């Protein structure tokens, strides 16, 4: 099967939904969106990348993790540990030829999973994520502890601050040309995760899909 399919996966804490793109055989890309509001701003963009990957014969999945997407777990109740455990469970089900595709803080979720490689777009540390959340909270005039409409406990914030992307092994870091930090490659484009509304960049998505396909083939 090569079309878009709605499926589920099980992990130690329950069951979550996922979208599956492309073929069922061969290498598989496991995509992780950024956490919180940036997920809504980049979902369409990520789906465009995954559809383009199907044109290279590469299958992919875009899962919900606990507290994200359509998960029955409330965002405020989800923990980084649970999200990582769900990631591990799905990666194990997908098999040894599984590659991570993460956008921004999505790179915080795959660190404990066994993967064939990690491809990261503008990976963000947990400390950077919390700073962004604090700035957005202050700009919106929200009380302490309320972030993007969610109440986050001090323990949850502390766990996020301690989280860092895993960059060892086979890892490829991609950034936009406006980002001066070290990267394996850069591409022109605006950071969609900074937009006030969800948006897409089909040309950039196609270029990134080609980058991922060539990286996997190499």
């Amino acid at each position: 099967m090569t079309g878009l399919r709605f499926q589920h996966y099980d992990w130690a804490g329950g069951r979550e939904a996922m979208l599956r793109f492309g073929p069922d055989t061969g290498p598989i890309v496991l995509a992780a969106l950024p956490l919180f509001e940036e997920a809504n701003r980049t979902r369409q963009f990520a789906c465009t990348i995954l559809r383009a990957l199907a044109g290279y014969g590469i299958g992919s999945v875009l899962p919900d993790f606990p507290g994200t997407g359509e998960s029955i777990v409330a965002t405020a109740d989800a923990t980084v540990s649970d999200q990582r455990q769900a990631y591990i469970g799905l990666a194990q089900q997908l098999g040894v030829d599984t590659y991570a595709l993460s956008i921004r803080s999505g790179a915080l979720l795959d660190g404990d999973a066994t993967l064939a490689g990690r491809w990261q777009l503008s990976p963000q540390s947990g400390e950077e994520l919390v700073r962004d959340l604090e700035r957005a909270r202050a700009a919106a005039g929200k009380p302490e502890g309320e972030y993007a409409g969610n109440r986050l406990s001090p323990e949850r914030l502390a766990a996020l601050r301690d989280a860092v992307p895993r960059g060892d092994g086979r890892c490829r870091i991609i950034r936009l040309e406006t980002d001066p930090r070290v990267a394996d490659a850069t591409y022109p484009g605006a950071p969609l995760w900074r937009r006030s509304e969800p948006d897409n960049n089909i040309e950039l998505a196609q270029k990134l899909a080609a980058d991922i396909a060539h990286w996997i083939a190499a």
Side-chain angles (χ1 to χ4, degrees):
M1 297 178 65
T2 59
L4 171 65
R5 288 95 72 202
F6 294 89
Q7 297 182 355
H8 293 84
Y9 71 97
D10 296 311
W11 66 288
R15 167 171 284 198
E16 300 290 350
M18 69 178 180
L19 297 177
R20 189 151 192 164
F21 303 79
D24 292 324
T25 59
I28 187 81
V29 167
L30 198 175
L33 297 175
L35 299 173
F36 304 109
E37 283 301 304
E38 289 189 3
N40 297 326
R41 300 170 192 153
T42 56
R43 180 177 294 275
Q44 184 180 5
F45 177 61
C47 288
T48 303
I49 295 174
L50 302 184
R51 288 190 177 96
L53 282 174
Y56 292 94
I58 298 173
S60 60
V61 297
L62 178 61
D64 288 340
F65 297 107
T68 73
E70 301 301 319
S71 173
I72 62 172
V73 179
T75 301
D77 295 332
T79 66
V80 177
S81 176
D82 282 348
Q83 291 169 339
R84 286 176 170 168
Q85 287 300 314
Y87 194 109
I88 291 170
L90 178 54
Q92 290 174 339
Q93 293 173 42
L94 295 175
V96 296
D97 203 15
T98 299
Y99 295 81
L101 182 169
S102 60
I103 300 175
R104 298 277 283 166
S105 57
L108 303 176
L109 303 184
D110 64 41
D112 298 324
T114 299
L115 297 159
R118 290 172 171 82
W119 187 98
Q120 301 170 347
L121 175 61
S122 299
Q124 184 184 40
S125 71
E127 183 67 35
E128 292 169 330
L129 170 60
V130 173
R131 283 202 301 267
D132 281 354
L133 291 173
E134 291 286 4
R135 281 194 291 265
R137 180 191 64 78
K142 298 297 183 181
E144 186 174 349
E146 184 176 329
Y147 304 88
N150 301 289
R151 296 290 300 180
L152 301 183
S153 68
E155 293 77 15
R156 175 84 183 279
L157 292 173
L160 285 172
R161 285 192 183 96
D162 290 340
V164 294
R166 181 171 172 177
D168 61 338
R170 189 181 180 194
C171 181
R172 182 167 173 81
I173 296 176
I174 304 299
R175 299 190 189 277
L176 302 180
E177 288 183 344
T178 53
D179 189 338
R181 289 175 292 180
V182 174
D184 295 298
T186 60
Y187 289 89
L192 299 178
W193 46 86
R194 297 295 189 193
R195 299 283 176 84
S196 58
E197 298 291 337
D199 203 351
N200 200 2
N201 185 329
I202 295 175
E203 181 180 2
L204 177 58
Q206 291 173 339
K207 289 179 179 178
L208 295 181
D211 189 291
I212 295 167
H214 294 155
W215 171 69
I216 289 176

